[in-house]
Amino acid sequence: MRVFTILGPSQSGKSTLAAALAALEGTAGKRQDVAQVAALQPFQFMKEDWAAIDVAGGPENLSQAGPALAASDAAVLVVPADAEAAVLSAPYLRLIEEAGIPAFLFINRMDVAPHRVARIVESLQTYCRHNLVLRQVPMREHGEVVGAVDLISERAWKYNEGRPSALIKLPRDMISREQEARGEMLETLADFDDHLMEELIEDHKILTDEVYDVATKVLQHNDLLPVLLGAASHCNGVMRLMKSLRHEAPDVGATLKRLSGKSKLGGEVVGIGCLADLVKHLGKTITVRAMDGAMGSDVPVAGATLGSLTGLAKGSNGGGLASGDLGQAVKSDHLNMGYAYMRDGSAALPGWAQPHPSTFRRVVTPVRDRDDARLSVALERLGEIDPALVVEQHPQTGHAVLNAQGPLHMRRLLGMLKKGFGIEVEEAVVPPALRETITRAVEIQHRHRKQSGGAGQFADIKIEIRPEPRGSGFHFEEHIKGGAVPKNYIPSVEAGAREALEEGLNGHPVDDLCVILKDGKHHSVDSSDFAFRMAGKNAVREALKEAGAVLLQPIMRVHIHVPSVFTGGLVPVVSGMKGQILGFENNPDAAGWDVFETLLPMAVQDELCSSLASVTRGTGWFSTDFDHYQEAKRADFAEA
């Protein structure tokens, strides 16, 4: 089976193209939706089994594309015929280049293209380090695209609505334009083939078969991206794309070699988990591709046997998968999406196949108390099928904190909780992790004394608390002389001080200060560890009231990855969030992208998610790391 992934921005026509490709010979299998974010479309073409993995558009679904590309022989990037929308394809071009996968670029909806092809390709080239090479040029009548000329075979094809294109004689007015475009294509291909270069220099006639051979070689070596044209809704250009996939895309052996080389996976990779879903009455379902050797219920994969495996190839009877086949495994809980499997173990796919950091956060609590325990189990199950979901626990409340790719991803997760597990939850913004500190030194003498019959409680201590530099944390010192406080009680004073600092005057942990035990008294009978711990706790609490408590808010170092065209628009956004701009620079590994670095309060992280999506048309993303705490005002959090 040959497998390819179809990618592209939302509303670019990916699903329409997948259906058109599958229907070319009327042998399409049943389309299977996977977790609302992808679909599997098996079909046959020229007596060969094929499968298209159609990944839903939108930046929040990009996390599904990496594993799909890892298991695919090639990719098809579907882009709208609109030069001004080229930036929407930037994340997909970047991912394809990082994956090193052979890919075709299909400019869709040429029948309603508002811009000429040359301008569209020029706009897309901004975001691609590889050359984009036109393999076709459009034929127009009265300003409308009615067909295309193949630059390798030099044949002209006129589109027929819903039917294969008709071969026609190359129109006279197209000859000069076709020759010019073909010359540019040949010069680009010749950069990767010395023999073709010599023939061009010596002005020899170039044979069509030779050009096809060179085109296949450069595609499989990932030297450039060929550009094809069409309109999937009218079946225009679809056959040419499918034939290019059949003749030029590599097989599973080359795919395995590429993956092993780029990721340096150890061991013999026998399969890849590329998609996952939770199916009612079946449980977790993992879509796997057999890479090297057969996979079946009687052969160990990742150190265990599979429960059940159903192939997608036509005529598959559930007896297992041959090399290259796609199948769905159930009752195989040791398998997960985003992993390469050996016979006796597994390894995570390389970094390019992993999701971007999940920075949209919400606290979730069950509507019904009886669902509290079930919620943690359900979230664990969702995490097994969605590598972009990160579940944490809020340190103060203990409630679950979900980290998602964005609001749409979060909405889908909450919908799965309700529909798949019957758990309704309420969501809330994650409260900022505030701290408190003090502004001046204070000295306090405190006596803890209690008598209630029998042995009492007695501890007398003198302490000083003083502010320390930001980030220094808590320190405890003792300056006791003459045994005023026995050494075995000093740790109890420190323990009491730490307990008092767990919650300051404003209800937040207190940090960046030093507690110094200077003097004290003890009683030979009534003093105890407990008495000195209580004395330390109460003494620190009294001191905090006089030490000028202030709030501290966490400041995050944020790296924003954004197409360069939007970098300038980030300046007012960050300034409006009271951020400190540290600068930006071109990303050396991604054409047309900048990395914008800034310091921002953690309290505005959700606002950054929504603002970034608006400013960058959904193409930007960011990562955060804690940097430091800084003094804040209550008004800062009222605004956030």
Side-chain angles (χ1 to χ4, degrees):
M1 174 178 273
R2 310 277 293 280
V3 179
F4 61 96
T5 295
I6 300 180
L7 302 172
S10 297
Q11 307 302 316
S12 59
K14 299 179 303 301
S15 298
T16 303
L17 178 62
L21 289 168
L24 283 174
E25 294 187 348
T27 56
K30 182 180 179 181
R31 178 183 171 94
Q32 301 182 31
D33 292 326
V34 181
Q36 306 173 40
V37 292
L40 293 169
Q41 178 61 75
F43 63 97
Q44 281 195 326
F45 183 74
M46 300 189 73
K47 298 182 180 180
E48 291 181 339
D49 286 312
W50 288 80
I53 303 176
D54 177 12
V55 178
E60 296 181 28
N61 298 321
L62 201 60
S63 60
Q64 304 290 323
L69 289 177
S72 296
D73 303 318
V76 176
L77 175 58
V78 184
V79 302
D82 184 350
E84 295 178 358
V87 69
L88 302 180
S89 302
Y92 303 97
L93 285 166
R94 178 174 178 174
L95 178 59
I96 285 171
E97 291 195 313
E98 290 174 346
I101 187 171
F104 292 89
L105 198 152
F106 185 78
I107 300 180
N108 195 21
R109 297 179 180 143
M110 283 299 301
D111 55 321
V112 291
H115 302 119
R116 302 192 70 84
V117 172
R119 182 182 170 190
I120 297 170
V121 173
E122 182 183 3
S123 299
L124 291 165
Q125 186 68 72
T126 305
Y127 306 103
C128 188
R129 290 176 297 167
H130 291 68
N131 280 337
L132 301 179
V133 180
L134 264 178
R135 291 271 293 270
Q136 296 172 306
V137 290
M139 293 191 303
R140 299 177 186 271
E141 290 182 2
H142 309 295
E144 294 185 1
V145 176
V146 296
V149 180
D150 186 90
L151 296 180
I152 295 183
S153 66
E154 296 188 277
R155 292 179 174 180
W157 299 90
K158 188 170 184 178
Y159 296 146
N160 287 319
E161 180 69 27
R163 294 183 290 120
S165 300
L167 179 63
I168 65 172
K169 184 179 179 180
L170 182 65
R172 185 179 298 275
D173 61 352
M174 284 289 299
I175 293 176
S176 61
R177 190 156 68 91
E178 184 273 336
Q179 289 180 346
E180 179 183 357
R182 188 171 194 266
E184 293 176 357
M185 179 196 70
L186 291 176
E187 288 179 4
T188 303
L189 293 177
D191 290 337
F192 307 98
D193 188 87
D194 293 338
H195 184 261
L196 181 59
M197 177 66 76
E198 291 176 3
E199 290 190 320
L200 286 175
I201 293 174
E202 297 174 4
D203 202 23
H204 289 172
K205 180 176 176 59
I206 310 298
L207 299 177
T208 298
D209 288 345
E210 180 182 356
V211 182
Y212 274 125
D213 289 341
V214 175
T216 300
K217 182 182 72 173
V218 297
L219 175 78
Q220 295 189 2
H221 288 180
N222 196 33
D223 293 322
L224 50 77
L225 268 70
V227 179
L228 302 175
L229 314 175
S233 61
H234 303 288
C235 294
N236 297 337
V238 176
M239 179 64 78
R240 179 68 266 164
L241 172 62
M242 192 64 226
K243 287 187 175 180
S244 297
L245 282 166
R246 180 175 182 269
H247 290 293
E248 300 174 36
D251 59 15
V252 67
T255 300
L256 179 60
K257 184 177 179 180
R258 181 191 76 243
L259 180 65
S260 299
K262 287 187 70 68
S263 57
K264 300 179 181 178
L265 296 172
E268 180 183 351
V269 177
V270 298
I272 294 175
C274 55
L275 293 172
D277 198 0
L278 286 174
V279 181
K280 196 171 184 178
H281 306 308
L282 288 179
K284 183 171 71 173
T285 302
I286 302 294
T287 302
V288 296
R289 190 183 189 199
M291 301 300 293
D292 187 9
M295 291 181 66
S297 57
D298 57 342
V299 181
V301 177
T305 57
L306 304 180
S308 176
L309 189 62
T310 304
L312 295 182
K314 188 174 183 179
S316 176
N317 57 9
L321 306 179
S323 292
D325 284 355
L326 272 178
Q328 293 179 320
V330 298
K331 299 179 182 178
S332 305
D333 288 343
H334 64 294
L335 301 186
N336 285 299
M337 175 184 174
Y339 285 83
Y341 305 116
M342 283 64 76
R343 292 294 179 202
D344 57 354
S346 63
L349 291 174
W352 57 262
Q354 304 302 325
H356 291 156
S358 295
T359 50
F360 186 79
R361 308 164 68 231
R362 284 292 184 269
V363 176
V364 295
T365 54
V367 173
R368 296 179 293 270
D369 292 340
R370 66 174 183 271
D371 288 335
D372 194 37
R374 295 178 60 231
L375 177 61
S376 60
V377 175
L379 291 176
E380 183 179 355
R381 296 295 304 279
L382 286 180
E384 292 177 357
I385 69 164
D386 190 343
L389 169 62
V390 178
V391 182
E392 300 173 327
Q393 188 177 44
H394 194 269
Q396 273 73 48
T397 65
H399 295 315
V401 177
L402 306 192
N403 297 259
Q405 296 282 293
L408 294 179
H409 184 206
M410 182 67 71
R411 192 181 308 162
R412 186 171 72 246
L413 291 170
L414 300 186
M416 293 177 72
L417 281 175
K418 182 177 180 179
K419 184 176 179 181
F421 298 91
I423 301 175
E424 293 187 60
V425 298
E426 295 176 340
E427 58 175 310
V429 174
V430 180
L434 301 180
R435 296 286 186 271
E436 299 177 33
T437 193
I438 58 175
T439 57
R440 55 181 177 269
V442 173
E443 191 171 271
I444 289 288
Q445 176 112 22
H446 179 81
R447 173 173 292 184
H448 176 76
R449 186 171 185 176
K450 188 175 182 180
Q451 194 73 36
S452 58
Q457 299 176 22
F458 179 84
D460 192 319
I461 59 172
K462 182 179 182 181
I463 66 165
E464 178 187 355
I465 63 171
R466 67 184 183 200
E468 293 286 298
R470 295 286 181 268
S472 58
F474 167 75
H475 299 282
F476 181 84
E477 298 176 6
E478 56 92 5
H479 299 167
I480 298 298
K481 297 179 180 178
V485 177
K487 289 189 176 297
N488 57 306
Y489 292 147
I490 293 176
S492 299
V493 178
E494 180 180 356
R498 289 183 179 275
E499 187 176 346
L501 297 176
E502 290 177 358
E503 185 175 314
L505 299 179
N506 297 295
H508 307 291
V510 187
D511 212 351
D512 296 341
L513 80 167
C514 181
V515 175
I516 305 170
L517 177 60
K518 289 188 167 184
D519 200 0
K521 297 178 182 179
H522 72 285
H523 188 276
S524 58
V525 176
D526 292 342
S527 291
S528 64
D529 287 326
F530 177 79
F532 273 93
R533 181 167 66 85
M534 294 302 296
K537 179 179 179 179
N538 293 329
V540 169
R541 284 181 171 175
E542 289 181 22
L544 289 176
K545 295 177 182 179
E546 303 178 18
V550 294
L551 283 175
L552 299 175
Q553 64 173 330
I555 303 298
M556 312 301 288
R557 184 174 292 266
V558 182
H559 292 86
I560 306 174
H561 297 255
V562 60
S564 302
V565 68
F566 297 127
T567 300
L570 290 179
V571 174
V573 171
V574 171
S575 299
M577 296 179 184
K578 302 180 181 179
Q580 177 185 348
I581 298 172
L582 302 180
F584 64 90
E585 58 183 5
N586 294 333
N587 189 327
D589 300 321
W593 286 77
D594 287 341
V595 180
F596 190 102
E597 188 174 2
T598 179
L599 295 176
L600 279 171
M602 179 186 281
V604 301
Q605 182 165 319
D606 283 349
E607 183 182 351
L608 178 61
C609 282
S610 59
S611 297
L612 185 63
S614 176
V615 170
T616 70
R617 300 177 67 181
T619 58
W621 56 277
F622 66 94
S623 61
T624 63
D625 293 294
F626 172 75
D627 193 81
H628 66 278
Y629 273 96
Q630 144 181 320
E631 186 173 338
K633 300 177 181 179
R634 290 185 178 277
D636 295 336
F637 308 106
E639 295 172 5

